[in-house]
């Protein structure tokens, strides 16, 4: 429900979802909304229980949506092997954007 609401909200610039237990399906909904939102500049999804596919989809959406300048994913997923895959995807991003991933 939250993802649907902010996917079309162009005035929201910062979203802090830290510690909200987004969960398995929530990561995919979050990624979908990130891909369509045009106002968001910064997002914090740290300390959530996002599954590997949701985390990967979120990273891909971040790479596509160039308007997001900062994203924090500190311990966003409990599967640490997803970290290496996500790190590879972020190495392709070259700009003044900031990503923080700690697993």
């Amino acid at each position: 429900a939250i993802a649907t609401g902010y996917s079309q909200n162009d005035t929201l610039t910062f979203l802090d979802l830290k510690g909200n237990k987004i969960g398995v399906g929530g990561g995919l909904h979050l990624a979908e909304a990130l891909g369509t939102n045009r106002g968001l500049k910064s997002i914090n999804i740290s300390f959530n229980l996002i599954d590997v596919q949701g985390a990967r989809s979120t990273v891909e959406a971040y790479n596509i949506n160039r308007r997001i300048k900062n994203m924090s994913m500190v311990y966003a997923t409990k599967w640490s092997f997803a970290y290496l895959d996500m790190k590879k995807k972020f190495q392709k991003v070259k700009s003044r954007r900031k990503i923080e991933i700690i697993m």
Side-chain angles (χ1 to χ4, degrees):
I2 292 174
T4 303
Y6 87 81
S7 68
Q8 299 172 356
N9 185 332
D10 292 340
T11 59
L12 181 67
T13 59
F14 176 73
L15 183 62
D16 187 354
L17 295 173
K18 181 179 176 182
N20 277 287
K21 299 179 185 176
I22 291 172
V24 175
L28 293 174
H29 292 293
L30 175 68
E32 185 178 328
L34 281 178
T36 59
N37 183 282
R38 297 291 170 236
L40 199 62
K41 304 280 189 254
S42 182
I43 184 167
N44 183 351
I45 57 170
S46 299
F47 301 100
N48 282 285
L49 300 173
I50 300 171
D51 70 330
V52 174
Q53 183 58 42
R56 286 179 181 154
S57 296
T58 301
V59 168
E60 289 170 8
Y62 172 83
N63 284 335
I64 291 168
N65 188 343
R66 308 300 292 170
R67 294 170 194 229
I68 301 172
K69 302 299 180 193
N70 299 297
M71 184 164 79
S72 180
M73 292 179 70
V74 177
Y75 300 111
T77 180
K78 59 184 177 180
W79 292 274
S80 60
F81 63 86
Y83 171 77
L84 295 175
D85 182 55
M86 289 187 289
K87 187 130 177 117
K88 287 180 194 174
K89 292 182 187 304
F90 281 118
Q91 287 173 348
K92 296 177 183 177
V93 177
K94 295 183 180 181
S95 67
R96 294 183 180 174
R97 302 169 80 202
K98 179 184 172 193
I99 181 68
E100 178 182 33
I101 301 176
I102 300 173
M103 299 289 165

